[in-house]
Amino acid sequence: MAATSSFDVVSDFDRQELVNAIDQTIREIKSRFDLKDTKTTVELGEDVITINTDSEFTLDAVHTLLQTKSAKRNLSLKIFDYGTVESASGSRVRQEIKLKKGISKEIAKQISLLIRDEFKKVQASIQGDAVRVSAKDKDDLQAVIQRLKQEDLPVALQFNNYR
């Protein structure tokens, strides 16, 4: 009798890599000629990044820097949920970027429906903010991972607890 194998589909990010990406962004802001005198701040909270700068032009430059540094550290850009640009004191602008973590119920249902439709020998069950995928054959699980990597979902997916 064959034992079943499984893995979890989760949406998470390495917080230390994010801290490093933000530190590199701040260093480059301080050294770049066009951003040096803007008094730009980038602050990392528990689940939000706050950018405070002097104009929307420099805000776009900081976005580009943050995205470049994050991509170099293998962080998906799908973890960033950009909020609206607000006016701050002294004709400055502020923006909060929420950090997305976990798979919502709607996306989890979409993933499990996709697995159920395309892979008959594979079971998917929603467990909180993760999806557990199990099957008797490990090749089927590898095929599911490859298929989910092709799907363009609004969250960054990782596959862990592969047993």
Side-chain angles (χ1 to χ4, degrees):
M1 185 166 152
T4 60
S5 301
S6 68
F7 67 89
D8 292 336
V9 180
V10 296
S11 179
D12 203 357
F13 58 89
D14 187 353
R15 185 157 180 90
Q16 187 58 49
E17 290 296 336
L18 180 65
V19 169
N20 293 342
I22 289 175
D23 285 345
Q24 287 179 338
T25 302
I26 292 169
R27 275 195 217 122
E28 188 155 339
I29 288 170
K30 289 178 182 175
S31 66
R32 261 181 54 171
F33 179 75
D34 59 338
L35 299 174
K36 193 184 294 185
D37 297 327
T38 60
K39 296 185 176 74
T40 300
T41 61
V42 180
E43 299 170 3
L44 175 63
E46 189 64 35
D47 58 349
V48 70
I49 300 170
T50 306
I51 301 173
N52 191 333
T53 188
D54 66 348
S55 70
E56 289 196 31
F57 175 75
T58 56
L59 184 65
D60 288 340
V62 173
H63 282 177
T64 305
L65 275 177
L66 181 62
Q67 291 171 352
T68 304
K69 300 301 182 186
S70 297
K72 284 184 180 178
R73 297 199 153 272
N74 294 328
L75 290 170
S76 174
L77 299 182
K78 293 180 180 181
I79 66 171
F80 300 125
D81 183 17
Y82 296 95
T84 58
V85 178
E86 314 169 337
S87 295
S89 61
S91 73
R92 296 176 62 82
V93 293
R94 178 188 313 121
Q95 183 178 34
E96 287 190 347
I97 304 170
K98 290 184 174 55
L99 300 171
K100 292 193 270 185
K101 202 174 202 179
I103 299 176
S104 69
K105 291 282 185 211
E106 296 83 29
I107 296 173
K109 286 179 186 175
Q110 183 180 350
I111 290 171
S112 62
L113 186 65
L114 176 103
I115 292 170
R116 201 174 315 124
D117 288 347
E118 294 188 19
F119 301 95
K120 301 300 179 204
K121 297 180 180 179
V122 179
Q123 295 82 39
S125 62
I126 301 171
Q127 298 182 338
D129 58 355
V131 178
R132 166 95 18 110
V133 181
S134 57
K136 291 189 186 240
D137 190 9
K138 288 189 176 189
D139 291 339
D140 291 338
L141 294 180
Q142 292 291 337
V144 170
I145 289 174
Q146 292 306 315
R147 178 63 181 95
L148 288 177
K149 284 182 178 178
Q150 293 171 358
E151 195 69 19
D152 186 30
L153 296 169
V155 294
L157 297 180
Q158 289 84 30
F159 310 100
N160 60 16
N161 293 337
Y162 189 85
R163 303 178 191 154

PDB file of all heavy atoms in Angstrom, residues 35-51:
ATOM      1  N   LEU A  35      18.310  62.138  -5.276  1.00  0.00           N
ATOM      2  CA  LEU A  35      17.494  61.855  -4.092  1.00  0.00           C
ATOM      3  C   LEU A  35      18.147  62.301  -2.784  1.00  0.00           C
ATOM      4  O   LEU A  35      17.513  62.248  -1.736  1.00  0.00           O
ATOM      5  CB  LEU A  35      17.213  60.341  -4.005  1.00  0.00           C
ATOM      6  CG  LEU A  35      16.449  59.725  -5.168  1.00  0.00           C
ATOM      7  CD1 LEU A  35      16.371  58.217  -5.005  1.00  0.00           C
ATOM      8  CD2 LEU A  35      15.059  60.316  -5.277  1.00  0.00           C
ATOM      9  N   LYS A  36      19.391  62.751  -2.852  1.00  0.00           N
ATOM     10  CA  LYS A  36      20.169  63.021  -1.642  1.00  0.00           C
ATOM     11  C   LYS A  36      19.539  64.095  -0.745  1.00  0.00           C
ATOM     12  O   LYS A  36      19.458  63.933   0.458  1.00  0.00           O
ATOM     13  CB  LYS A  36      21.586  63.453  -2.035  1.00  0.00           C
ATOM     14  CG  LYS A  36      22.560  63.447  -0.884  1.00  0.00           C
ATOM     15  CD  LYS A  36      23.918  63.968  -1.300  1.00  0.00           C
ATOM     16  CE  LYS A  36      24.573  63.045  -2.295  1.00  0.00           C
ATOM     17  NZ  LYS A  36      25.932  63.468  -2.636  1.00  0.00           N
ATOM     18  N   ASP A  37      19.057  65.192  -1.316  1.00  0.00           N
ATOM     19  CA  ASP A  37      18.544  66.308  -0.527  1.00  0.00           C
ATOM     20  C   ASP A  37      17.028  66.316  -0.370  1.00  0.00           C
ATOM     21  O   ASP A  37      16.442  67.331  -0.012  1.00  0.00           O
ATOM     22  CB  ASP A  37      18.989  67.630  -1.166  1.00  0.00           C
ATOM     23  CG  ASP A  37      20.497  67.775  -1.155  1.00  0.00           C
ATOM     24  OD1 ASP A  37      21.114  67.267  -0.196  1.00  0.00           O
ATOM     25  OD2 ASP A  37      21.045  68.378  -2.095  1.00  0.00           O
ATOM     26  N   THR A  38      16.358  65.172  -0.600  1.00  0.00           N
ATOM     27  CA  THR A  38      14.900  65.139  -0.538  1.00  0.00           C
ATOM     28  C   THR A  38      14.375  64.786   0.849  1.00  0.00           C
ATOM     29  O   THR A  38      13.179  64.831   1.073  1.00  0.00           O
ATOM     30  CB  THR A  38      14.340  64.111  -1.539  1.00  0.00           C
ATOM     31  OG1 THR A  38      14.864  62.827  -1.214  1.00  0.00           O
ATOM     32  CG2 THR A  38      14.693  64.486  -2.960  1.00  0.00           C
ATOM     33  N   LYS A  39      15.269  64.430   1.772  1.00  0.00           N
ATOM     34  CA  LYS A  39      14.875  64.011   3.129  1.00  0.00           C
ATOM     35  C   LYS A  39      13.836  62.887   3.070  1.00  0.00           C
ATOM     36  O   LYS A  39      12.848  62.883   3.793  1.00  0.00           O
ATOM     37  CB  LYS A  39      14.345  65.186   3.940  1.00  0.00           C
ATOM     38  CG  LYS A  39      15.380  66.266   4.198  1.00  0.00           C
ATOM     39  CD  LYS A  39      14.834  67.348   5.095  1.00  0.00           C
ATOM     40  CE  LYS A  39      15.875  68.366   5.422  1.00  0.00           C
ATOM     41  NZ  LYS A  39      16.196  69.273   4.314  1.00  0.00           N
ATOM     42  N   THR A  40      14.074  61.917   2.199  1.00  0.00           N
ATOM     43  CA  THR A  40      13.181  60.780   2.021  1.00  0.00           C
ATOM     44  C   THR A  40      13.396  59.781   3.148  1.00  0.00           C
ATOM     45  O   THR A  40      14.529  59.478   3.510  1.00  0.00           O
ATOM     46  CB  THR A  40      13.447  60.105   0.668  1.00  0.00           C
ATOM     47  OG1 THR A  40      13.213  61.059  -0.369  1.00  0.00           O
ATOM     48  CG2 THR A  40      12.555  58.908   0.461  1.00  0.00           C
ATOM     49  N   THR A  41      12.289  59.278   3.705  1.00  0.00           N
ATOM     50  CA  THR A  41      12.378  58.230   4.718  1.00  0.00           C
ATOM     51  C   THR A  41      11.607  57.011   4.241  1.00  0.00           C
ATOM     52  O   THR A  41      10.541  57.136   3.631  1.00  0.00           O
ATOM     53  CB  THR A  41      11.808  58.679   6.080  1.00  0.00           C
ATOM     54  OG1 THR A  41      10.428  59.016   5.914  1.00  0.00           O
ATOM     55  CG2 THR A  41      12.553  59.878   6.624  1.00  0.00           C
ATOM     56  N   VAL A  42      12.166  55.833   4.532  1.00  0.00           N
ATOM     57  CA  VAL A  42      11.512  54.558   4.240  1.00  0.00           C
ATOM     58  C   VAL A  42      11.512  53.792   5.555  1.00  0.00           C
ATOM     59  O   VAL A  42      12.563  53.454   6.074  1.00  0.00           O
ATOM     60  CB  VAL A  42      12.263  53.763   3.154  1.00  0.00           C
ATOM     61  CG1 VAL A  42      11.564  52.453   2.865  1.00  0.00           C
ATOM     62  CG2 VAL A  42      12.403  54.583   1.883  1.00  0.00           C
ATOM     63  N   GLU A  43      10.324  53.547   6.102  1.00  0.00           N
ATOM     64  CA  GLU A  43      10.209  52.889   7.401  1.00  0.00           C
ATOM     65  C   GLU A  43       9.442  51.584   7.249  1.00  0.00           C
ATOM     66  O   GLU A  43       8.393  51.541   6.621  1.00  0.00           O
ATOM     67  CB  GLU A  43       9.484  53.794   8.395  1.00  0.00           C
ATOM     68  CG  GLU A  43      10.201  55.104   8.655  1.00  0.00           C
ATOM     69  CD  GLU A  43       9.359  56.087   9.452  1.00  0.00           C
ATOM     70  OE1 GLU A  43       8.238  55.725   9.855  1.00  0.00           O
ATOM     71  OE2 GLU A  43       9.820  57.213   9.645  1.00  0.00           O
ATOM     72  N   LEU A  44       9.975  50.529   7.872  1.00  0.00           N
ATOM     73  CA  LEU A  44       9.330  49.218   7.856  1.00  0.00           C
ATOM     74  C   LEU A  44       8.616  49.003   9.180  1.00  0.00           C
ATOM     75  O   LEU A  44       9.242  49.022  10.237  1.00  0.00           O
ATOM     76  CB  LEU A  44      10.373  48.118   7.625  1.00  0.00           C
ATOM     77  CG  LEU A  44       9.879  46.682   7.698  1.00  0.00           C
ATOM     78  CD1 LEU A  44       8.847  46.411   6.608  1.00  0.00           C
ATOM     79  CD2 LEU A  44      11.044  45.714   7.565  1.00  0.00           C
ATOM     80  N   GLY A  45       7.298  48.810   9.115  1.00  0.00           N
ATOM     81  CA  GLY A  45       6.516  48.477  10.296  1.00  0.00           C
ATOM     82  C   GLY A  45       6.276  46.980  10.346  1.00  0.00           C
ATOM     83  O   GLY A  45       6.954  46.201   9.676  1.00  0.00           O
ATOM     84  N   GLU A  46       5.309  46.573  11.144  1.00  0.00           N
ATOM     85  CA  GLU A  46       5.006  45.146  11.282  1.00  0.00           C
ATOM     86  C   GLU A  46       4.534  44.539   9.958  1.00  0.00           C
ATOM     87  O   GLU A  46       5.035  43.519   9.528  1.00  0.00           O
ATOM     88  CB  GLU A  46       3.932  44.951  12.357  1.00  0.00           C
ATOM     89  CG  GLU A  46       3.704  43.513  12.736  1.00  0.00           C
ATOM     90  CD  GLU A  46       4.926  42.867  13.373  1.00  0.00           C
ATOM     91  OE1 GLU A  46       5.651  43.546  14.103  1.00  0.00           O
ATOM     92  OE2 GLU A  46       5.138  41.666  13.123  1.00  0.00           O
ATOM     93  N   ASP A  47       3.575  45.185   9.306  1.00  0.00           N
ATOM     94  CA  ASP A  47       3.079  44.669   8.027  1.00  0.00           C
ATOM     95  C   ASP A  47       2.856  45.787   7.011  1.00  0.00           C
ATOM     96  O   ASP A  47       2.011  45.686   6.132  1.00  0.00           O
ATOM     97  CB  ASP A  47       1.787  43.878   8.235  1.00  0.00           C
ATOM     98  CG  ASP A  47       0.694  44.698   8.878  1.00  0.00           C
ATOM     99  OD1 ASP A  47       0.978  45.813   9.359  1.00  0.00           O
ATOM    100  OD2 ASP A  47      -0.462  44.240   8.906  1.00  0.00           O
ATOM    101  N   VAL A  48       3.651  46.873   7.136  1.00  0.00           N
ATOM    102  CA  VAL A  48       3.508  48.004   6.228  1.00  0.00           C
ATOM    103  C   VAL A  48       4.862  48.714   6.077  1.00  0.00           C
ATOM    104  O   VAL A  48       5.666  48.737   7.006  1.00  0.00           O
ATOM    105  CB  VAL A  48       2.413  48.977   6.731  1.00  0.00           C
ATOM    106  CG1 VAL A  48       2.846  49.705   7.974  1.00  0.00           C
ATOM    107  CG2 VAL A  48       1.982  49.946   5.663  1.00  0.00           C
ATOM    108  N   ILE A  49       5.099  49.252   4.876  1.00  0.00           N
ATOM    109  CA  ILE A  49       6.262  50.097   4.612  1.00  0.00           C
ATOM    110  C   ILE A  49       5.722  51.498   4.361  1.00  0.00           C
ATOM    111  O   ILE A  49       4.805  51.675   3.568  1.00  0.00           O
ATOM    112  CB  ILE A  49       7.045  49.614   3.372  1.00  0.00           C
ATOM    113  CG1 ILE A  49       7.546  48.185   3.572  1.00  0.00           C
ATOM    114  CG2 ILE A  49       8.200  50.555   3.072  1.00  0.00           C
ATOM    115  CD1 ILE A  49       8.114  47.566   2.309  1.00  0.00           C
ATOM    116  N   THR A  50       6.287  52.503   5.040  1.00  0.00           N
ATOM    117  CA  THR A  50       5.850  53.884   4.870  1.00  0.00           C
ATOM    118  C   THR A  50       6.971  54.673   4.202  1.00  0.00           C
ATOM    119  O   THR A  50       8.101  54.687   4.693  1.00  0.00           O
ATOM    120  CB  THR A  50       5.499  54.526   6.218  1.00  0.00           C
ATOM    121  OG1 THR A  50       4.534  53.704   6.883  1.00  0.00           O
ATOM    122  CG2 THR A  50       4.916  55.908   6.029  1.00  0.00           C
ATOM    123  N   ILE A  51       6.635  55.309   3.090  1.00  0.00           N
ATOM    124  CA  ILE A  51       7.598  56.153   2.376  1.00  0.00           C
ATOM    125  C   ILE A  51       7.131  57.591   2.495  1.00  0.00           C
ATOM    126  O   ILE A  51       5.981  57.904   2.199  1.00  0.00           O
ATOM    127  CB  ILE A  51       7.692  55.752   0.885  1.00  0.00           C
ATOM    128  CG1 ILE A  51       8.120  54.301   0.748  1.00  0.00           C
ATOM    129  CG2 ILE A  51       8.647  56.683   0.144  1.00  0.00           C
ATOM    130  CD1 ILE A  51       8.082  53.780  -0.673  1.00  0.00           C
TER     131      ILE A  51
END
